[in-house]
Amino acid sequence: MLEATEADGLTVGQVSTRLDVTVRALHHWDEIGLARPSLRTAAGYRLYTAGDLERLHRIVVYREIGLGLDRIRAVLDDPATDVPGALRAQRSQIADRIERLQRLGAGLDRMIDAHEGGPLLTVAQQAEVFGSRWNPDWTAQARQQYGDTAQWLQFAERSAARGLEEWRAVADAVAGLDRALGDAMDRGVAPGSPEAGRLVERHREVFASYFPLTRRMQVCLGRRYEADPAFAAHYDGIRAGLAAWFRRIVDADARAHGIDPDTATWQ
């Protein structure tokens, strides 16, 4: 290595700043012989010449497009290397990566839309799927009340992954459960009975289409179904008294699993 003064080249720190490369990376490239400074001062400082800087520029570009250091060395130093072929291969990989990132971006857009607006359906589609009594404003109201909860995030994640047919399947499952609850009440199915327990379990399974529901959370929902006018109107519209009956079977199931429904909280 030739001895020089600092006027003859750039120090490691200067090159690091100019190329936005860490000093550690420059030291490593020096150690492995990929890009060594050509000059050294009497004080022992390494200096990079204009030719060294040109090589470093190429290394930075090749590294930025994803080539590994061994491949970069071959491109720079091995005459037998098919440089255009290597770059075309890397370009193909980058195109694949861009496509994956675009899909990820689209998924994130759907996630954002679902988090802010719930089901990714038009108003007409929502009425078709959820029934003419469905109010699209209910989702906005729910987000205002529960938007900062883990359950709302889980609901948004599921909503982002669903299209019209998937929501139809969810709505059909809910409608089937409602019919089964009404029929069971008509037949006098008693709270705490095995059949009532199966219906309570089925309710948790169906509700998991929105977010996972624990037994304690289910107790809280049962209370709300009975106390909230909108929920009570829905269930009592299926069968008079169904909201209160549903709460009783949920409470009985909770007690059977060691949960006091009077003190259960949303957890």
Side-chain angles (χ1 to χ4, degrees):
M1 180 177 294
L2 298 176
E3 186 174 304
T5 66
E6 291 188 14
D8 296 322
L10 298 177
T11 65
V12 173
Q14 290 170 326
V15 170
S16 172
T17 300
R18 181 172 295 193
L19 298 184
D20 194 22
V21 176
T22 66
V23 170
R24 181 178 180 180
L26 291 171
H27 284 164
H28 178 61
W29 298 347
D30 181 6
E31 290 169 1
I32 65 175
L34 179 63
R36 286 177 172 159
S38 299
L39 302 177
R40 186 180 294 272
T41 69
Y45 294 110
R46 291 169 295 183
L47 298 178
Y48 291 88
T49 65
D52 297 335
L53 201 61
E54 181 180 348
R55 181 179 177 91
L56 284 169
H57 271 296
R58 295 179 68 190
I59 292 171
V60 170
V61 170
Y62 291 149
R63 189 181 66 161
E64 185 68 23
I65 65 174
L67 289 179
L69 295 183
D70 288 341
R71 192 62 171 156
I72 291 174
R73 188 196 301 275
V75 168
L76 293 177
D77 299 331
D78 187 351
T81 298
D82 178 8
V83 176
L87 297 180
R88 287 192 187 96
Q90 195 62 27
R91 184 184 182 203
S92 177
Q93 293 181 28
I94 290 173
D96 290 342
R97 192 185 314 160
I98 290 172
E99 184 178 349
R100 290 196 300 272
L101 289 173
Q102 287 174 334
R103 289 198 300 268
L104 178 60
L108 288 172
D109 287 340
R110 287 180 61 84
M111 186 78 71
I112 292 168
D113 290 342
H115 185 79
E116 294 179 342
L120 302 182
L121 303 174
T122 65
V123 172
Q125 288 173 330
Q126 290 180 45
E128 175 191 345
V129 171
F130 303 120
S132 58
R133 291 185 295 175
W134 171 261
N135 183 351
D137 293 338
W138 287 342
T139 302
Q141 294 167 8
R143 180 177 182 268
Q144 185 175 7
Q145 186 169 1
Y146 304 112
D148 59 350
T149 66
Q151 287 74 39
W152 182 265
L153 178 59
Q154 292 166 327
F155 167 67
E157 290 173 349
R158 286 161 172 74
S159 296
R162 289 193 181 114
L164 181 60
E165 293 306 316
E166 289 82 3
W167 276 116
R168 281 199 182 108
V170 171
D172 288 346
V174 171
L177 173 62
D178 287 347
R179 289 192 298 270
L181 290 171
D183 292 345
M185 193 186 81
D186 285 346
R187 290 185 285 103
V189 172
S193 66
E195 183 174 355
R198 288 192 293 271
L199 285 170
V200 171
E201 180 66 27
R202 181 176 171 184
H203 173 263
R204 275 198 310 282
E205 292 173 356
V206 169
F207 203 91
S209 298
Y210 305 107
F211 55 80
L213 190 70
T214 67
R215 285 190 168 84
R216 287 181 173 82
M217 292 161 66
Q218 190 178 31
V219 168
C220 296
L221 273 185
R223 290 182 204 147
R224 183 162 189 187
Y225 288 174
E226 184 179 23
D228 185 283
F231 281 114
H234 168 76
Y235 284 100
D236 291 345
I238 298 169
R239 295 290 192 282
L242 183 60
W245 179 82
F246 179 74
R247 178 180 177 179
R248 289 197 298 274
I249 68 170
V250 168
D251 286 357
D253 184 77
R255 291 190 188 94
H257 289 87
I259 298 169
D260 180 358
D262 293 329
T263 61
T265 58
W266 188 264
Q267 59 181 14

